[in-house]
Amino acid sequence: QGSGAGDGMSGVRAPALFLSHGAPTLPLDRDHPTHAFLTQLGTALPRPEAILMVSAHWDTAVPALTTSAVNGTFHDFYGFPEALYALRYPAPGAPGLARDVRELLRAAGLDAQGDGERGLDHGAWVPLMLMYPEADIPVLQLSLQTDAGTRHHLALGEALKPLRARGVLVVGSGGATHNLREFFRPTPGLDASYVPEFTDWLADTLARRDLDSLAEYRRRAPQAARAHPSEEHFLPLLVAAAAGDAPGERIHTALTGASLAMDAYRFD
């Protein structure tokens, strides 16, 4: 049986992307520049055969893949406007592609398991709802393993690289910076200059395709621990960077508040 993803018949090599997904309310926030960016991005890219999404909001001990035939919509947040909980993104699943990805990971020495119950979390459906509002492209989600560290996630991305030749769009969804404490409790006179310091370092490092520095960002990048008090929103970037072949191109930059950088990157 085929992958459920067109088996690469499109002949178009898909890029890998890193997207900062911001708050769950982004689909409702039409004034945010990232809303407009994601809306046009879906039309600017070649239409993918399928999408493999790595979100900051699914973390497991061993790599896990969604295997359902139709994706549910997981509202993994609370305290937001009621309109947000009414949103659904019922994109087809890609169980055949999940089997293929499992084999790619195992060939790279990475064990993987299937999960037939989990729906797409907001790190996945928020950007996809803006990029592909028809929800008619198969979506497969792959989990993070935050405790396994940065080089593990580079290895995940490297293992996924062959998918791009089959027209599968590999997307890491997280945040270029992600300090929620400062976002929710901004102090008067807060110096947020660390945000551009970190994101400029990131842009330069990706433009040089320096994956070693990326893996050691906590030691090498300015203000890394403040930009990412925890690592789960940064690790999807490593997966996307390693799944690409070319240096990373920053294709969008914006802010949510003072501490959430919404930068996006493309890796061809």
Side-chain angles (χ1 to χ4, degrees), residues 168-185:
V168 178
L169 181 66
V170 177
V171 181
S173 176
T177 64
H178 196 258
N179 191 321
L180 286 184
R181 180 183 293 273
E182 291 186 10
F183 177 74
F184 285 115
R185 299 195 191 93

Side-chain angles (χ1 to χ4, degrees), residues 59-61 110 144-156 214-218 231-232 234-236 238-239:
D59 205 322
T60 58
L110 299 162
L144 295 176
Q145 293 75 58
T146 299
D147 289 346
T150 54
R151 293 194 183 274
H152 166 83
H153 290 85
L154 289 175
L156 276 181
L214 195 64
E216 297 179 15
Y217 81 103
R218 265 184 134 56
E231 291 198 279
E232 77 288 335
F234 190 74
L235 295 174
L238 277 75
V239 178

